[in-house]
Amino acid sequence: MTPPTVRPGIEDRLSRMIRLPTVSAEISERGPAPFEDFVSLLAELYPLTHERLRLERHTDLGLLFHWAGRGPASDGPVVLMAHYDVVPVDESDGWTHPPFDGAIAGGRVWGRGALDDKGPLIVVIEAVENLLADGFEPARDVYLSFGGNEETYGHAAQRIAAVLQERGIVPWLVVDEGGAVVDAPLPFVPGRAAMIGVGEKGVMTVRLSARGDGGHASAPPSLTAVRRIARAVDRLGPRTFRPRASTAILRMLSRLADQTPGSARHLLRLLGSAPLLTAQVFAALGGEPAALVRTTVAPTMQSGGTAANVLPSQASATVNLRIALGETTQQTVLRVRRRIRDPLVRVEVVEASEPSPESSTDNAQFALLAEALAVSHPGVPAVPYVMMAATDSRHFHRFAPAVYRFAPLDMSNAQRASIHGVDENVEIAALERGERFHRALLERLG
């Protein structure tokens, strides 16, 4: 049963969502009003969803909708996830359209959250509203899990996951943000592919600190606190962690080989069967390919000192690490300490989460994603990969067997770069295809 095409005006609804500055990192300054206004806006725009699905609030920012299916609850539900908070905007950046205006221009919707993650959220709830209007009843229970603080760790989603686990509910399938429909998924691979994250890297934030003798800057010692921290950061270079090709990367290469013509096909097949070679090749490519095969280290903040002519008595740096699949947080912090090789530099783990396990590509859940893609994006293959950023779904993979990270939106390289950057935008046609994907997914649950 396929209802008529998506209701006209999805771009207007997304525009209204973008106009609400739900910046979770600034909630103490802005207050909770934008977040409550967003919840009210959902109720206004999607009346059938609010009338026929049960809504629970978990923490101040977590929304959990329950849509009862016609099958037994023991079958396990589908959980469709998204978040409605966004990252801050640097006011000095030059946006083509103001970031919280929700401008509609050139066949696109512009603004902070268009891709991360109000665009992926709206295509989920649009599909549900349209199916309800058609009288559709899903074969399984469906939960919509929308968090309002994913960008600041995601305690709302963490609580929602805990509630389901406490109730003995084990999701059959979880789909959250992550990959997208992209052009040229690798530098030497032409064509389009739907990159579906079958696992995600762990996250660790480490604070390095050191103390030293303060005093006048005219007679500095050979190793001040600032120099000690600078040396420690310098020792944590790109080669801190050895590259390794996970099973997900090898599966990705094998899938991409099927659609790649010429000699590149043979290269992909070779790489897909040679993990050591693949790790070295990807590491040499740098950028995203390198991040797929190794734990990355990114110094993000440094501090120390009170005046230009005073030696600081202490200095610190914050380092963000994304931990490769197959490694652990404990191994990671031990490696950091060994690389720094300085007992006077204190290494403090501020926060850490383990890498996820890999979800299968040889199961009914992944096949369902591919079937829905065949409806929304005909001819575009479903390709597994490793999600390098963190998502709210990391709170589910500890007890749910099939967790995938995929936003069914077409994204160019420029659009992907605009996430957390400047001129974030999404094509209206991509929103319509995204709604079609979720509608097809829910229709095919049986």
Side-chain angles (χ1 to χ4, degrees):
M1 174 172 53
T2 301
T5 57
V6 64
R7 292 179 296 150
I10 189 173
E11 66 273 20
D12 297 305
R13 290 185 281 281
L14 179 57
S15 173
R16 292 183 65 184
M17 291 181 180
I18 290 172
R19 287 177 219 155
L20 297 173
T22 50
V23 184
S24 51
E26 298 174 352
I27 195 168
S28 59
E29 295 88 3
R30 295 178 182 268
F35 295 85
E36 289 303 319
D37 290 344
F38 187 90
V39 175
S40 298
L41 180 63
L42 283 184
E44 175 191 339
L45 297 179
Y46 302 99
L48 291 178
T49 300
H50 285 75
E51 174 188 334
R52 301 184 192 175
L53 275 62
R54 187 176 76 248
L55 172 60
E56 299 176 4
R57 299 286 297 266
H58 295 285
T59 76
D60 292 337
L61 300 173
L63 309 177
L64 181 65
F65 294 88
H66 178 210
W67 189 4
R70 61 181 183 271
S74 59
D75 284 349
V78 170
V79 179
L80 303 178
M81 303 182 67
H83 65 89
Y84 59 95
D85 64 318
V86 299
V87 296
V89 171
D90 187 335
E91 297 297 335
S92 65
D93 290 336
W95 285 64
T96 302
H97 303 279
F100 293 111
D101 274 14
I104 301 171
R108 300 167 184 259
V109 183
W110 300 74
R112 177 61 83 224
L115 293 172
D116 185 20
D117 190 42
K118 292 177 179 176
L121 183 152
I122 201 172
V123 298
V124 170
I125 200 166
E126 285 274 331
V128 171
E129 187 80 2
N130 291 336
L131 286 168
L132 287 169
D134 195 57
F136 176 80
E137 184 181 14
R140 295 175 181 267
D141 281 13
V142 176
Y143 287 90
L144 311 182
S145 174
F146 299 153
N149 54 8
E150 189 273 347
E151 302 291 0
T152 54
Y153 186 72
H155 288 292
Q158 185 179 32
R159 181 58 192 152
I160 288 172
V163 165
L164 293 183
Q165 194 170 15
E166 289 164 7
R167 295 173 181 172
I169 297 170
V170 178
W172 180 76
L173 168 66
V174 177
V175 183
D176 196 7
E177 64 171 330
V181 178
V182 302
D183 291 317
L186 289 175
F188 46 86
V189 176
R192 302 167 75 212
M195 305 303 294
I196 299 176
V198 296
E200 75 178 51
K201 299 175 80 172
V203 181
M204 178 180 286
T205 300
V206 171
R207 186 173 184 269
L208 312 179
S209 59
R211 301 197 66 84
D213 295 330
H216 201 283
S218 61
S222 60
L223 197 60
T224 64
V226 169
R227 281 183 179 273
R228 193 177 290 278
I229 288 299
R231 185 179 68 177
V233 169
D234 186 59
R235 287 174 174 172
L236 297 176
R239 297 176 183 268
T240 297
F241 293 87
R242 298 182 182 90
R244 53 185 295 170
S246 64
T247 303
I249 299 303
L250 302 179
R251 286 186 289 176
M252 175 188 76
L253 294 168
S254 297
R255 292 289 178 97
L256 290 174
D258 296 337
Q259 69 176 80
T260 304
S263 58
R265 171 179 294 180
H266 303 295
L267 172 61
L268 289 170
R269 285 180 174 162
L270 170 63
L271 293 174
S273 61
L276 293 178
L277 176 62
T278 297
Q280 295 299 324
V281 169
F282 275 50
L285 288 172
E288 285 192 5
L292 286 171
V293 296
R294 67 165 24 128
T295 295
T296 57
V297 186
T300 54
M301 295 188 290
Q302 288 182 287
S303 65
T306 57
N309 62 345
V310 176
L311 295 175
S313 59
Q314 65 83 32
S316 66
T318 299
V319 181
N320 185 262
L321 300 99
R322 302 302 169 114
I323 305 169
L325 272 63
E327 298 180 3
T328 68
T329 55
Q330 184 179 22
Q331 292 171 335
T332 300
V333 73
L334 289 174
R335 181 73 173 171
V336 166
R337 289 195 172 104
R338 284 199 299 268
R339 291 286 292 193
I340 290 174
R341 302 191 310 277
D342 188 340
L344 296 182
V345 173
R346 181 171 181 247
V347 179
E348 174 192 2
V349 177
V350 178
E351 64 176 7
S353 62
E354 300 288 348
S356 78
E358 290 185 29
S359 295
S360 175
T361 56
D362 299 318
N363 57 12
Q365 293 92 324
F366 194 85
L368 175 63
L369 298 177
E371 288 176 24
L373 270 168
V375 175
S376 61
H377 298 78
V380 176
V383 178
Y385 89 114
V386 174
M387 177 75 180
M388 291 175 283
T391 70
D392 273 342
S393 70
R394 69 185 181 278
H395 304 300
F396 283 81
H397 66 229
R398 295 175 181 86
F399 69 101
V403 179
Y404 301 94
R405 300 142 188 96
F406 175 64
L409 300 178
D410 305 77
M411 297 188 198
S412 66
N413 287 337
Q415 285 173 308
R416 289 163 61 204
S418 75
I419 295 174
H420 290 206
V422 177
D423 275 351
E424 190 175 346
N425 69 87
V426 63
E427 294 179 356
I428 298 169
L431 295 171
E432 294 171 349
R433 285 189 289 272
E435 185 275 345
R436 203 172 300 133
F437 170 87
H438 282 294
R439 184 154 34 96
L441 185 150
L442 293 170
E443 287 178 331
R444 285 158 175 74
L445 282 178

